[in-house]
Amino acid sequence: MTAMTSTQTPPAASLHTPVIGWFEQHARDLPWRRPEAGAWSVMVSEFMLQQTPVSRVLPVYEQWLARWPRPADLAAEAPGEAVRAWGRLGYPRRALRLHGAAQAITERHGGDVPSEHAQLLALPGIGEYTAAAVASFAYGQRHAVLDTNVRRVFARAASGVQYPPNATTAAERKLARALLPEEDERAARWAAATMELGALVCTARNEDCDRCPIASQCAWRLAGKPAHQGPPRKGQTYAGTDRQVRGRLLAVLRDSVSPVTQAALDAVWEEPVQRARALDGLVADGLVEPLADGRYRLPLT
């Protein structure tokens, strides 16, 4: 038998058993994976985990579910309370989207997170990834769940390249569907397992091939780990950006139970043009509500 080249994709069935077996032994004990976790818990975790590591999500997730154990509980609160509870997770528009989804679930589905993929996708703030993840992880359905970690595993193991494209492509979706196990329960397990493999072993940097259950089949490894040939991958910067200014402005509003003055917001950043731009962006995004008297607060409606 000849060695597999970088252009040959390993048979899907040969990947399923080792990856799922590895997951059974090495998966982290996370609250949204436990048997008692319902679909709402899974949905909350998926919103919070986007672009945010598990270590930062866990304490906020626990507080969120303790305060709002069902979608109706969150829907009954002002959207600004969701922003306040989001804390320093970053990308706070996710809090507004989750609040909007909770309202829609309460109004359209009697307060229960729908199980049908199309109904999930129709909720505000829910994209293809989140709909597939909730349907798969909460309801054990067969869907291709493509987050950054999964895309990287597939790029290396099946396509023989170090990194996937910057944006998800039709070819990636086709490959993900081709790699799905046929049985619903096994497909859902595969989705969780490949995600965990990318998070713990097949990482963006310093991948640990010695711990990988499919290293012997990985097209990228067998090709000698060729270097990334696509556009340069830029690391995210934060210091000095509008994102940092927005975060500081929101922190003042989160920490205050009453509306805050312009002067209180001005104190968080010296450069007036950037500060005004960041505040205008928060208002435009619905994260901050300006009042007639010149003060600001988190949104009530």
Side-chain angles (χ1 to χ4, degrees):
M1 182 179 294
T2 59
M4 182 181 62
T5 69
S6 63
T7 58
Q8 293 176 300
T9 300
S14 70
L15 301 176
H16 298 157
T17 296
V19 171
I20 293 173
W22 172 87
F23 181 70
E24 300 292 349
Q25 291 188 357
H26 299 284
R28 290 167 292 181
D29 178 21
L30 300 175
W32 47 86
R33 288 179 177 163
R34 295 170 188 163
E36 66 271 17
W40 174 238
S41 299
V42 172
M43 179 176 285
V44 170
S45 75
E46 287 301 331
F47 269 81
M48 291 185 174
L49 287 165
Q50 294 167 22
Q51 299 176 289
T52 309
V54 167
S55 59
R56 290 182 59 201
V57 164
L58 279 169
V60 181
Y61 167 90
E62 298 283 8
Q63 294 166 8
W64 192 284
L65 267 296
R67 180 174 179 180
W68 299 308
R70 288 179 51 82
D73 301 316
L74 176 59
E77 295 260 21
E81 286 306 300
V83 176
R84 193 188 309 278
W86 199 255
R88 298 185 179 276
L89 282 183
Y91 303 99
R93 278 177 287 182
R94 292 180 292 168
L96 291 183
R97 293 182 184 127
L98 186 50
H99 183 272
Q103 288 182 316
I105 290 167
T106 304
E107 295 166 0
R108 304 176 194 172
H109 303 287
D112 294 322
V113 176
S115 60
E116 293 184 21
H117 181 268
Q119 291 179 326
L120 287 164
L121 199 55
L123 295 172
I126 302 285
E128 173 59 37
Y129 164 76
T130 305
V134 173
S136 179
F137 302 150
Y139 294 113
Q141 296 175 15
R142 183 178 184 271
H143 295 282
V145 182
L146 279 173
D147 81 336
T148 301
N149 288 318
V150 176
R151 293 175 61 222
R152 186 170 56 252
V153 169
F154 290 173
R156 292 174 179 175
S159 302
V161 296
Q162 186 177 16
Y163 298 117
N166 289 331
T168 306
T169 65
E172 285 182 282
R173 294 188 178 95
K174 182 179 180 180
L175 173 63
R177 290 192 295 268
L179 292 175
L180 270 179
E182 290 298 325
E183 307 84 3
D184 282 7
E185 184 177 350
R186 191 166 174 81
R189 207 66 176 158
W190 165 255
T194 50
M195 188 176 295
E196 192 78 336
L197 186 64
L200 299 183
V201 175
C202 193
T203 51
R205 295 187 180 88
N206 303 316
E207 65 281 349
D208 192 349
C209 296
D210 290 340
R211 293 176 54 216
C212 180
I214 54 172
S216 63
Q217 303 180 67
C218 176
W220 182 56
R221 179 176 174 272
L222 293 173
K225 295 187 176 181
H228 178 62
Q229 296 297 314
R233 297 172 60 82
K234 297 179 180 179
Q236 289 188 335
T237 57
Y238 183 73
T241 63
D242 284 6
R243 276 189 60 217
Q244 184 182 25
V245 185
R246 285 164 61 100
R248 290 192 178 182
L249 293 170
L250 271 183
V252 174
L253 291 156
R254 283 198 312 268
D255 293 342
S256 176
V257 295
S258 57
V260 302
T261 63
Q262 182 73 58
L265 296 177
D266 289 348
V268 307
W269 198 260
E270 290 185 0
E271 209 290 303
V273 175
Q274 187 179 26
R275 185 180 65 233
R277 182 173 65 242
L279 181 58
D280 288 346
L282 290 171
V283 172
D285 289 341
L287 290 161
V288 173
E289 183 179 337
L291 302 179
D293 62 3
R295 296 183 298 166
Y296 296 85
R297 68 184 179 193
L298 297 177
L300 293 182
T301 57

